[in-house]
Amino acid sequence: MLQVNNINVYYGKVEALFNVSFEVGDNEIVSLIGANGAGKTTLMKTIVGINKVQSGNIEYNGKEISNQHAHKTVYDGIVYVPEGREVFPQMTVYENLEMGAFSKKYTKGEMDDHIAEVYDLFPRLKERSKQAAGTMSGGEQQMLAIGRGMMSDPKLLMFDEPSLGLAPVIVDEMFRAIIKINESRKTPIVIAEQNAFMAMSISKRTYVLEVGHIVTHGASPELLNSPDIKKAYLGG
Ligand code: ATP
């Protein structure tokens, strides 16, 4: 459904992605792993239209979307949940969720249904629906960022470092929620992570980025057993 073909992306004169090709199939969870600064965020922001492609192209369901405006890409159903959550701190949980649907013209009933779906996935958010988002824990804010991403009825979800800074028990909860979204809605999901083990454990396929290059890709269970990957990304 998504095909990134040989893209090159620059920040000014500095190249950040070199001939990167990347694919996501229907219903698939794909992980993108790599160290700090490898280019994971750059790739996701390029797919969504925030960064520009210098050469190569991006196709989504057969349609060329390279360099299209980000709001159009969101309208097409590609949703990027950024690293660091970026919830609106002064707004309540409920209002943040409503903001996630800004590109849609939902009826009151549709809005309620989408909010109910998010609350079903994260009951904690329901309990805190009137609380200002900025006063919540990091884990709760991450749940809200994911929930907000779901509000626009995404056809492809991309999560940037969803486990960043979270306690292990919350990380488990987050990854279970991601699996549930994929299984219940059949939404394809891309997860960029430094927590390679978790991301690879729940994904079908993995791409490894190193300083702007895809150095390896393949089935996640196979890469989890690869001595090179173990040494570089799995702590032995
Ligand atoms: P992290 O896990 O730290 O977010 P990442 O794999 O997502 O890492 P990117 O944030 O995509 O990596 O960064 C890739 C490269 O591009 C890095 O060398 C980074 O310094 C550079 N870079 C990222 N954003 C910008 C920017 N706005 N201007 C200039 N260079 C940038």
Side-chain angles (χ1 to χ4, degrees):
M1 59 118 49
L2 179 80
Q3 240 175 332
V4 173
N5 303 309
N6 276 306
I7 61 166
N8 289 282
V9 175
Y10 290 74
Y11 291 109
K13 290 201 169 109
V14 180
E15 185 155 14
L17 295 180
F18 301 81
N19 290 317
V20 165
S21 293
F22 176 80
E23 207 178 306
V24 183
D26 292 336
N27 304 350
E28 214 182 14
I29 301 182
V30 175
S31 59
L32 183 59
I33 65 169
N36 235 323
K40 305 182 294 299
T41 301
T42 302
L43 175 55
M44 290 184 154
K45 285 189 171 172
T46 307
I47 292 168
V48 88
I50 299 168
N51 294 328
K52 299 297 165 219
V53 169
Q54 188 98 353
S55 61
N57 78 325
I58 304 175
E59 285 172 36
Y60 173 62
N61 289 332
K63 177 184 141 195
E64 167 92 42
I65 60 161
S66 324
N67 297 339
Q68 123 177 333
H69 272 292
H71 66 258
K72 177 80 176 58
T73 311
V74 173
Y75 190 79
D76 284 345
I78 301 181
V79 169
Y80 168 64
V81 179
E83 180 181 335
R85 293 120 202 174
E86 297 180 16
V87 296
F88 301 105
Q90 319 285 350
M91 290 187 180
T92 64
V93 166
Y94 188 89
E95 288 163 347
N96 265 276
L97 293 176
E98 280 185 323
M99 290 300 285
F102 81 97
S103 68
K104 301 280 173 177
K105 293 195 167 55
Y106 289 149
T107 61
K108 169 89 174 65
E110 287 167 337
M111 183 69 92
D112 289 348
D113 286 350
H114 280 87
I115 288 189
E117 186 189 5
V118 173
Y119 285 167
D120 183 48
L121 188 66
F122 296 116
R124 192 93 55 91
L125 295 181
K126 185 174 185 181
E127 288 162 23
R128 298 184 177 241
S129 88
K130 294 199 176 74
Q131 185 169 332
T135 64
M136 299 204 302
S137 72
E140 289 161 351
Q141 291 190 29
Q142 183 63 58
M143 292 172 197
L144 181 55
I146 293 175
R148 190 180 55 188
M150 288 173 63
M151 286 298 295
S152 62
D153 206 8
K155 303 290 180 267
L156 169 66
L157 268 167
M158 299 192 292
F159 296 118
D160 200 348
E161 304 262 2
S163 80
L164 194 72
L166 303 182
V169 53
I170 309 288
V171 172
D172 288 348
E173 193 179 340
M174 214 62 67
F175 278 93
R176 272 199 303 275
I178 291 172
I179 295 170
K180 195 169 165 194
I181 295 169
N182 174 257
E183 285 178 350
S184 62
R185 304 173 47 102
K186 308 287 173 227
T187 312
I189 292 175
V190 180
I191 309 172
E193 266 293 347
Q194 285 185 53
N195 187 341
F197 180 74
M198 282 305 277
M200 292 174 80
S201 301
I202 71 160
S203 60
K204 187 170 162 208
R205 292 186 305 115
T206 293
Y207 289 80
V208 183
L209 254 180
E210 280 177 14
V211 280
H213 299 263
I214 299 281
V215 290
T216 312
H217 66 99
S220 301
E222 275 166 37
L223 292 184
L224 270 168
N225 283 318
S226 138
D228 288 348
I229 298 287
K230 277 187 179 164
K231 192 156 163 255
Y233 295 100
L234 304 171

